[in-house]
Amino acid sequence: MHFHILVGTTSGNTEYLADALNQRLTELGHTATLHDQPTLAEVMAHREETGYWLLCVATHGAGEYAESIIDFMEALVSEKPNLQKIKAAIVAIGDSSYDTFCKAGDDGEALILELNASLIAPTLQIDMFNELDPEGTAILWLDQWISKLSE
Ligand SMILES: Cc1cc2nc3c(=O)[nH]c(=O)nc-3n(C[C@H](O)[C@H](O)[C@H](O)COP(=O)(O)O)c2cc1C
């Protein structure tokens, strides 16, 4: 299978996580395109060929999307593409000392579901406040669902 890994980061932590998931997908015989500054045009250009998105998104501000994915999310809101063919899995990165813990992940999930995408895994929340091994936790999560997907 081919995945599009969409990275929402401001200070880089989510980039590490996305790299680790990218590497794990390769080890399992899949391929992936990493979008560290995703644009709707670029991601949707491949829509017919593949429908798998791995959305890795950190929360910043007061519950806002991390910088690298703001334009992409705004484009989803304004252009409202039909994501019926998209199967997505989401990793939400945040810090539980904030009231708006992982809100960007929740908002991103609600938005793509509204646009008819489907989820292929329960969304993983990574709490950077007390998570010692975010990459390892994300890989365990990936391993749990990926073997159940068929081509
Ligand atoms: C200024 C600032 C605001 C933040 N706001 C939130 C927030 O509202 N909710 C949350 O869950 N985490 C929040 N965080 C925690 C970040 O999500 C966490 O540090 C994460 O690792 C950042 O990922 P990144 O390095 O990929 O940008 C905030 C962090 C900073 C520095």
Side-chain angles (χ1 to χ4, degrees), residues 55-130:
L55 184 61
C56 302
V57 59
T59 303
H60 273 266
E64 305 297 322
Y65 294 116
E67 209 168 289
S68 68
I69 206 157
I70 292 175
D71 287 354
F72 181 81
M73 291 302 185
E74 283 179 357
L76 285 181
V77 170
S78 61
E79 295 179 28
K80 296 187 172 44
N82 187 350
L83 302 181
Q84 200 175 4
K85 291 184 181 158
I86 303 299
K87 299 176 193 328
I90 301 173
V91 185
I93 294 95
D95 179 323
S96 60
S97 61
Y98 291 87
D99 289 347
T100 46
F101 177 54
C102 284
K103 184 171 184 299
D106 292 344
D107 289 350
E109 177 177 326
L111 177 58
I112 65 169
L113 291 177
E114 202 181 299
L115 296 171
N116 304 318
S118 48
L119 288 183
I120 49 178
T123 294
L124 174 68
Q125 291 188 333
I126 300 260
D127 180 4
M128 297 302 268
F129 186 69
N130 51 35

Side-chain angles (χ1 to χ4, degrees), residues 1-3 21-33 52 142-143 145-151:
M1 264 167 281
H2 186 82
F3 284 81
L21 291 173
N22 192 2
Q23 198 178 330
R24 184 66 182 148
L25 285 170
T26 309
E27 283 168 12
L28 295 171
H30 302 288
T31 53
T33 307
Y52 291 97
L142 179 91
D143 285 352
W145 54 263
I146 195 133
S147 56
K148 295 179 195 142
L149 292 182
S150 54
E151 287 284 336

